[in-house]
């Protein structure tokens, strides 16, 4: 099941620009009435004021790079400057991607604005413009793997987080799938395609450069930038931690339920995928592939071996000179504190809603269901070990937990273990609060944390259920911990028990629930069993 529906944005109503809007000498200020204005390096944009106090300046759809139309598979270029202030009140287009079906629990977050190759836009929420304050800047990288999604989901609205913590929140779009991660260097000698295997990640670097260059104007601190993301967004965080081009553009990192990018593709795997795409598209050269109409290109991706869904960054010797977290943590980010974790029952979303029969498995059905998740491991040994570790589990519980460990928990643990060997601290968490939607059968599924991290429960009712004292409590706990980490590199707050840094001796883990607690090596028997018998991540 694709998760794009959770990661899509909605267009806001256009706000007219007052003719009497003016700029001050600092380069960015609010002006006429309630219309804030921001002077970027390429031209002025006007936004809106939002939030409970109506003092959060919001700019949607700011162009950080030129359109990629006509420049497919090439590095992003600077925008053409403009002279008249442009409205920045609507999200920019999403980058082209395969269509996705609806996911009912994500209904509250849906905000489709359509796709275009002119998609390199970012969005800003801030309480101050050129006011001299040095607010922490939190740059969110959207989920959807490396293949779908955008920075415009209702769940990612930054108003409450910016207001709550007096931080600057930035979300963004970047190239995806074969447009952002087709490794063509082995198929063309043209140097303009040399970086094609990592363009999506390099787009993020360009957006971070925009943030650095405009930090003063948006009321933030260029020396205190946190990149954070969930699922595919967390994978992108991990990848950026291994990129020399990103060094100095962020000082802290948070990876939520997506540490699967311990390793990216190698040219040995990426080149055949690119060849297959060309063959499926019926073209004989990279130039022909670059010139295809975009709808035909997406259709060809969907028919190819990749299904427009199997792409990752490539260790190309340029953007990525080695794997980010394999066999150890890349020294490029040795000084970057990391907050990493998962939800307790991630796969009850994809493996449950997508295949509802998995909620009622028998012990006889379980071995066949588990086999795709365990490669060559002994399924019988895994089932016996899990039943011993969790005597109260039924067959469905074992299935979901093994699948969750394979797809999410194991790589988060490996990332924390390897990061803990470096100088900067790493903190581990697990979300255990259970959502009541779907009759409670989802428990603590993939992406549930987004509602709490952004303090956006009111925008997430299809997933969290109605607003209650419990949902408010979870938002208070998690949003404040994320803000504290962005501000200082340490997630401890007065509302939490003392949260030590992670190491392989104690494995201290913050369990987020209504009554949070720190547990050393939670579910240790499960961890010891599954780390011993399962591969460390998805095959590459």
């Amino acid at each position: 099941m694709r998760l794009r529906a959770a990661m899509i944005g909605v267009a806001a109503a256009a706000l007219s620009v007052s003719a009497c809007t003016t700029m001050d000498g600092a380069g960015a200020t609010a002006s006429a009435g309630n219309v804030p204005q921001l002077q970027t390096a390429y031209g002025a944009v006007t936004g809106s004021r939002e939030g409970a106090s109506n003092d959060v300046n919001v700019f949607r759809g700011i162009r950080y790079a030129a359109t990629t139309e006509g420049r497919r598979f090439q590095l992003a270029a600077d925008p053409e400057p403009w002279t008249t202030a442009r409205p920045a009140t609507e999200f920019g287009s999403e980058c082209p991607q395969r269509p996705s079906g609806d996911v009912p629990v994500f209904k509250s977050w849906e905000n489709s604005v359509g796709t275009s190759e002119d998609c390199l836009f970012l969005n800003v929420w801030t309480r101050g413009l050129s006011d001299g304050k040095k607010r922490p800047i939190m740059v969110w990288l959207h989920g959807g793997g490396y293949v779908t999604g955008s920075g415009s989901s209702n769940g990612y609205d930054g108003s409450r987080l910016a207001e709550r913590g007096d931080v600057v929140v930035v979300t963004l779009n970047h190239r995806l799938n074969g447009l952002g991660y087709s490794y063509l260097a082995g198929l063309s000698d043209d140097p303009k395609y040399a970086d094609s295997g990592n363009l999506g990640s390099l787009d993020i670097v360009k957006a971070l450069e925009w943030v650095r260059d405009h930090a003063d104007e948006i009321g933030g601190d260029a020396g205190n930038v946190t990149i954070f993301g969930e699922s595919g967004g967390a994978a992108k965080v991990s990848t950026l931690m291994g990129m020399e081009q990103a060094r100095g553009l962020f000082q802290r990192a948070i990876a939520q339920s997506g540490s699967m990018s311990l390793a990216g593709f190698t040219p040995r795997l990426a080149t055949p995928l690119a060849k297959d795409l060309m063959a499926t598209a019926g073209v004989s050269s990279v130039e022909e592939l670059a010139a295809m109409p975009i709808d035909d290109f997406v259709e060809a991706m969907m028919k190819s071996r990749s299904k427009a869904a199997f792409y990752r960054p490539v260790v190309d010797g340029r953007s990525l000179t080695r794997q980010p977290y394999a066999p150890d943590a890349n020294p490029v980010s040795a000084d970057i504190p990391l907050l990493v974790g998962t939800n307790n029952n991630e796969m009850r979303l994809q493996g449950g809603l997508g295949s509802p029969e998995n909620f009622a498995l028998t012990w006889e059905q379980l071995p066949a269901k588990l086999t795709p998740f365990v490669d060559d491991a002994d399924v019988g040994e895994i089932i016996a070990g899990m039943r011993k570790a969790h005597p109260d589990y039924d067959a469905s519980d074992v299935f979901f937990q093994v699948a969750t460990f394979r797809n999410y928990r194991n790589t988060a643990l490996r990332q924390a273990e390897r990061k803990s060997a470096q100088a900067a601290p790493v903190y581990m968490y697990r979300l255990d609060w259970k959502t009541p939607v779907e009759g409670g059968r989802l428990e603590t599924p993939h992406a549930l944390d987004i509602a709490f991290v952004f303090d956006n429960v009111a925008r997430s009712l299809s997933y969290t259920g109605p607003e209650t004292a419990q949902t408010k409590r979870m938002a208070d706990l998690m949003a404040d911990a994320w803000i504290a980490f962005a501000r200082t590199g340490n997630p401890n707050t007065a509302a939490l028990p003392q949260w030590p840094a992670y190491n392989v001796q104690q494995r201290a883990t913050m369990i987020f629930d209504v009554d949070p607690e720190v547990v050393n090596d939670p579910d240790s028997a499960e961890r010891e069993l599954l780390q011993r018998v399962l591969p460390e991540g998805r095959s590459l």
Side-chain angles (χ1 to χ4, degrees):
M1 180 193 297
R2 301 256 53 87
L3 298 182
R4 173 178 174 246
M7 318 302 172
I8 308 180
V10 69
L15 186 67
S16 61
V17 181
S18 171
C20 59
T21 298
T22 60
M23 303 298 296
D24 69 5
T29 185
S31 51
N34 208 34
V35 181
Q37 183 158 299
L38 171 67
Q39 181 67 42
T40 78
Y42 310 106
V45 294
T46 55
S48 56
R49 284 210 179 89
E50 301 176 16
S53 59
N54 203 40
D55 69 352
V56 178
N57 303 290
V58 184
F59 301 91
R60 295 180 173 90
I62 301 175
R63 185 182 294 279
Y64 70 86
T67 179
T68 62
E69 292 175 317
R71 301 187 71 256
R72 192 179 297 166
F73 308 133
Q74 300 178 47
L75 288 170
D78 291 338
E80 289 291 328
W82 57 91
T83 56
T84 303
R86 293 180 173 180
T89 54
E90 296 185 2
F91 290 118
S93 296
E94 301 169 9
C95 294
Q97 53 197 270
R98 62 176 294 162
S100 297
D102 292 333
V103 181
V105 294
F106 292 163
K107 191 68 177 176
S108 300
W109 292 343
E110 291 179 2
N111 281 333
S112 181
V113 299
T115 65
S116 167
E117 285 190 87
D118 185 11
C119 62
L120 301 185
F121 299 97
L122 56 77
N123 318 294
V124 176
W125 289 261
T126 179
R127 293 180 68 179
L129 295 171
S130 290
D131 60 0
K133 292 187 177 181
K134 297 290 187 180
R135 297 172 178 84
I137 302 174
M138 302 179 69
V139 181
W140 175 258
L141 307 181
H142 70 74
Y146 290 97
V147 294
T148 62
S150 79
S152 312
S153 163
N154 267 332
Y156 308 156
D157 186 284
S159 295
R160 288 182 65 83
L161 197 60
E163 194 165 41
R164 179 186 194 102
D166 197 19
V167 296
V168 180
V169 179
V170 178
T171 68
L172 59 97
N173 298 348
H174 63 86
R175 279 174 285 184
L176 301 161
N177 48 65
L179 296 167
Y181 296 97
S182 283
Y183 182 69
L184 304 171
L187 306 179
S188 172
D189 294 329
D190 194 326
K192 69 186 178 185
Y193 301 130
D195 294 293
S196 61
N198 290 302
L199 290 174
S201 298
L202 290 168
D203 288 346
I204 299 172
V205 169
K206 192 166 185 65
L208 289 170
E209 290 172 341
W210 187 99
V211 169
R212 175 198 62 197
D213 295 342
H214 295 86
D216 289 343
E217 285 79 6
I218 61 177
D221 182 356
N224 188 4
V225 176
T226 297
I227 56 171
F228 69 132
E230 184 271 344
S231 192
K236 296 161 198 171
V237 166
S238 302
T239 296
L240 287 168
M241 294 182 80
M243 295 178 65
E244 183 66 40
Q245 293 96 322
R247 186 195 290 265
L249 295 176
F250 62 93
Q251 289 70 43
R252 327 202 191 288
I254 304 174
Q256 304 169 213
S257 302
S259 300
M260 66 282 291
S261 272
L262 301 180
F265 286 162
T266 62
R268 183 179 62 85
L269 176 60
T271 299
L273 283 175
K275 286 182 178 178
D276 179 73
L277 175 57
M278 290 177 60
T280 306
V283 300
S284 58
S285 70
V286 173
E287 287 72 18
E288 289 181 81
L289 193 67
M292 287 181 67
I294 187 58
D295 290 344
D296 294 343
F297 180 87
V298 172
E299 183 178 355
M301 277 199 302
M302 293 173 63
K303 292 179 179 178
S304 73
R305 279 178 56 199
S306 76
K307 307 300 181 187
F310 188 52
Y311 286 96
R312 286 194 192 176
V314 181
V315 181
D316 61 358
R318 294 170 61 87
S319 306
L320 278 176
T321 58
R322 53 151 285 178
Q323 301 289 8
Y325 275 92
D328 56 4
N330 196 313
V332 168
S333 56
D335 60 341
I336 304 295
L338 173 68
L339 174 59
V340 60
T342 63
N343 299 346
N344 198 19
N345 316 110
E346 304 267 2
M347 285 297 291
R348 282 182 174 266
L349 177 66
Q350 305 98 312
L353 284 189
S355 302
E357 70 276 7
N358 289 336
F359 288 114
L361 294 177
T362 65
W363 292 111
E364 291 73 23
Q365 293 170 322
L366 182 59
K369 284 288 186 177
L370 276 184
T371 296
F373 292 94
V374 302
D375 289 358
D376 297 327
D378 185 328
V379 174
E381 179 185 4
I382 290 173
I383 293 173
M386 288 293 289
R387 295 187 76 170
K388 182 178 180 181
H390 300 286
D392 56 329
Y393 276 15
D394 62 21
S396 292
D397 293 330
V398 170
F399 167 75
F400 289 127
Q401 288 310 102
V402 172
T404 292
F405 195 93
R406 173 64 196 279
N407 282 2
Y408 297 101
R409 189 70 182 167
N410 196 17
T411 47
L413 288 165
R414 295 299 187 194
Q415 186 173 27
E417 291 165 1
R418 292 166 188 176
K419 180 64 180 175
S420 70
Q422 295 183 330
V426 55
Y427 296 88
M428 173 67 79
Y429 76 89
R430 192 180 75 191
L431 174 61
D432 278 18
W433 184 84
K434 296 178 174 62
T435 177
V437 303
E438 291 286 328
R441 63 180 180 171
L442 296 181
E443 298 190 5
T444 311
H446 192 62
L448 181 64
D449 49 313
I450 293 171
F452 304 133
V453 166
F454 277 87
D455 189 14
N456 273 340
V457 172
R459 297 176 181 269
S460 310
L461 302 185
S462 63
Y463 211 3
T464 62
E467 290 186 89
T468 64
Q470 282 200 9
T471 59
K472 183 180 186 304
R473 167 76 167 164
M474 295 309 303
D476 288 345
L477 292 172
M478 296 193 77
D480 284 348
W482 265 235
I483 291 166
F485 184 81
R487 194 172 300 280
T488 68
N490 185 319
N492 276 283
T493 69
L496 293 172
Q498 183 60 36
W499 186 351
Y502 189 87
N503 60 53
V504 294
Q505 290 77 39
Q506 282 76 41
R507 299 182 180 271
T509 303
M510 179 62 71
I511 305 298
F512 278 103
D513 208 331
V514 174
D515 294 314
E517 61 177 332
V518 171
V519 177
N520 288 340
D521 201 5
D523 294 329
S524 58
E526 173 187 308
R527 179 192 60 76
E528 291 171 358
L529 166 72
L530 297 181
Q531 280 197 321
R532 176 172 56 84
V533 301
L534 293 181
E536 80 170 29
R538 299 169 182 172
S539 60
L540 301 175

